[in-house]
Amino acid sequence: MRVRTRISMVRLGSREYRVIRPARPLVRAALYAEPHGVATEPDSLAMFVGRVEAVLLTALWGLATCSPRTLVHLPMRHAAPPTDLPQAASGQSSLDLVLLHHRMQFPLSRWKQVRAHLGAGRPHTASVPPSAFTMADRGRARRWAEDRDHLRIGFAAETVFVTGSVPAFGQEGGSLRSMLDEAGPYLKRIDGRHHYCVELGGHDAYPWFRRRRRHSTLVHIQYSPRWQAG
């Protein structure tokens, strides 16, 4: 899988950060938090992607899997919501998404500064290897509380951060890849009158997504090839 991107190198003090983002804006993609009781700790995230954006999301997720020293940025803050936006997310503004490895130890409070210095970036065509979407073994008999291979959700500067390890990104990357393979035939079979969706972090036996406190966060991604802006 190949994807056209832009790469920016941003230096803050003694640290330099490499940020990769799509070459073109994500026009038909939006991300919303759905809080239930605690606004800063949502129980779920709702993401909507059009046909092209579903491919970009999957490719960039694959890049995040195999790029442990890179911040992968999907800008969606200014996206218009789809017409079928759930009532729970209505009235909200869309959020950006950043994927990064926990070994970077990136302070989320620095993201606003980094984003402000991205500039135009350098054009680059990246290749995503098939191994980036290898599903991790879901049958491992380890307690999730003791397992370091999970993804954490964080929030700062109108951005959702997904932080984790290679196995954790690979686990959910496989689900995204399956969405690309299965959504088209499924929607064609039912005449495109419905949508196709996947849920990340929703495995009952193994809650892959975790917050720093409390229980896991579910990420619901809805594939809408006939996206209409609301």
Side-chain angles (χ1 to χ4, degrees):
M1 179 179 286
R2 295 170 66 84
V3 57
R4 295 176 61 189
T5 65
R6 290 188 176 274
I7 297 177
S8 300
M9 303 300 297
V10 178
R11 178 171 291 278
L12 293 180
S14 60
R15 293 291 305 274
E16 186 174 52
Y17 300 103
R18 181 176 186 264
V19 182
I20 189 168
R21 64 189 190 274
R24 296 181 179 180
L26 296 173
V27 178
R28 295 179 176 85
L31 175 63
Y32 301 91
E34 297 183 340
H36 295 282
V38 184
T40 57
E41 295 185 16
D43 291 329
S44 61
L45 298 169
M47 186 172 185
F48 303 83
V49 290
R51 191 189 309 274
V52 173
E53 286 72 16
V55 176
L56 284 173
L57 170 63
T58 303
L60 289 167
W61 191 284
L63 284 181
T65 303
C66 53
S67 304
R69 297 179 179 85
T70 301
L71 295 162
V72 179
H73 177 211
L74 285 79
M76 296 179 285
R77 284 181 300 138
H78 304 297
T83 54
D84 53 354
L85 180 68
Q87 185 66 31
S90 62
Q92 297 187 41
S93 297
S94 180
L95 303 167
D96 280 354
L97 176 65
V98 171
L99 313 173
L100 68 154
H101 284 245
H102 55 66
R103 290 185 179 180
M104 289 186 66
Q105 297 184 332
F106 176 74
L108 303 190
S109 59
R110 285 193 173 188
W111 172 244
K112 191 172 183 178
Q113 289 179 279
V114 171
R115 186 174 61 198
H117 291 84
L118 290 178
R122 173 174 57 87
H124 175 71
T125 300
S127 297
V128 185
S131 58
F133 306 107
T134 301
M135 298 290 284
D137 180 11
R138 295 185 181 182
R140 292 176 298 176
R142 289 187 291 179
R143 292 170 55 189
W144 67 269
E146 298 174 353
D147 195 341
R148 295 183 179 181
D149 291 335
H150 51 246
L151 296 173
R152 292 188 182 275
I153 301 293
F155 296 87
E158 301 172 285
T159 303
V160 174
F161 295 85
V162 176
T163 307
S165 62
V166 171
F169 274 111
Q171 163 85 10
E172 303 298 353
S175 297
L176 290 174
R177 181 69 215 194
S178 296
M179 177 182 69
L180 292 186
D181 296 336
E182 298 170 5
Y186 170 79
L187 292 174
K188 184 177 180 180
R189 191 165 59 247
I190 60 174
D191 299 325
R193 290 191 295 267
H194 299 76
H195 71 270
Y196 186 95
C197 60
V198 294
E199 291 184 344
L200 310 185
H203 316 304
D204 294 336
Y206 194 92
W208 210 259
F209 277 81
R210 292 186 61 200
R211 291 193 297 265
R212 295 190 181 277
R213 300 183 300 275
R214 304 176 66 184
H215 48 82
S216 61
T217 299
L218 176 70
V219 182
H220 182 95
I221 300 177
Q222 179 171 313
Y223 174 80
S224 304
R226 297 184 179 182
W227 177 295
Q228 293 182 353

